[in-house]
Amino acid sequence: MGALLVNIDVPDAAAAERFYVEAFDLTPTRRFGTSGVELSGWPSPVYLLEQPAGSIGAADQPRGYARHWCPVHLDVVVDDIEAALARAVAAGARPETEVRTEAWGAIVTLADPFGHGICLIQFLNRGYDEIAGRA
């Protein structure tokens, strides 16, 4: 198996770069003209790819950057959920829930400025092992 790459379509690569650098302290490592940037700082590289709203994304579906639901989203594990939430909001994220605490940790959901869902997660105690059984 190879590596996992995270690709995020955005309508404005420069604005997306500012958000992800400010919100999550990622670092630009490579540029692909003016329409793409590679960010590092997470276990997988993140590629912000500029794609205009209305252009065809998958099959015959046009891209839209209003808040949208997608079964695939980013979970960002943080050490201090309140500080991480404040930083993300200051960078332009929109919180969608209050921080809630579960047996495994704390979670808050938000959207980036381009409609993509993100969860901030702070593991507590043994993290998911608090609720996990044997597979």
Side-chain angles (χ1 to χ4, degrees), residues 19 43 78 126:
F19 171 76
V78 299
R126 298 180 307 135

Side-chain angles (χ1 to χ4, degrees), residues 59-121:
D60 60 352
Q61 297 297 307
R63 287 181 177 86
Y65 295 105
R67 180 62 174 115
H68 54 274
W69 180 86
C70 178
V72 177
H73 61 273
L74 299 175
D75 281 357
V76 180
V77 178
V78 299
D79 293 327
D80 181 336
I81 199 163
E82 295 292 343
L85 177 60
R87 181 178 179 153
V89 168
R94 296 180 309 278
E96 297 180 330
T97 64
E98 299 292 322
V99 175
R100 77 175 191 273
T101 302
E102 303 289 341
W104 51 266
I107 184 171
V108 62
T109 61
L110 41 102
D112 76 4
F114 317 101
H116 307 303
I118 299 172
C119 295
L120 299 179
I121 294 176

Side-chain angles (χ1 to χ4, degrees), residues 11-100:
D12 182 331
E17 178 181 344
R18 279 190 301 279
F19 171 76
Y20 281 91
V21 166
E22 291 174 17
F24 303 111
D25 202 27
L26 298 179
T27 302
T29 48
R30 292 192 294 175
R31 297 193 186 284
F32 308 102
T34 58
S35 63
V37 63
E38 176 187 72
L39 302 176
S40 65
W42 285 342
S44 295
V46 175
Y47 294 88
L48 302 174
L49 307 172
E50 189 170 303
Q51 302 288 348
S55 63
I56 299 304
D60 60 352
Q61 297 297 307
R63 287 181 177 86
Y65 295 105
R67 180 62 174 115
H68 54 274
W69 180 86
C70 178
V72 177
H73 61 273
L74 299 175
D75 281 357
V76 180
V77 178
V78 299
D79 293 327
D80 181 336
I81 199 163
E82 295 292 343
L85 177 60
R87 181 178 179 153
V89 168
R94 296 180 309 278
E96 297 180 330
T97 64
E98 299 292 322
V99 175
R100 77 175 191 273

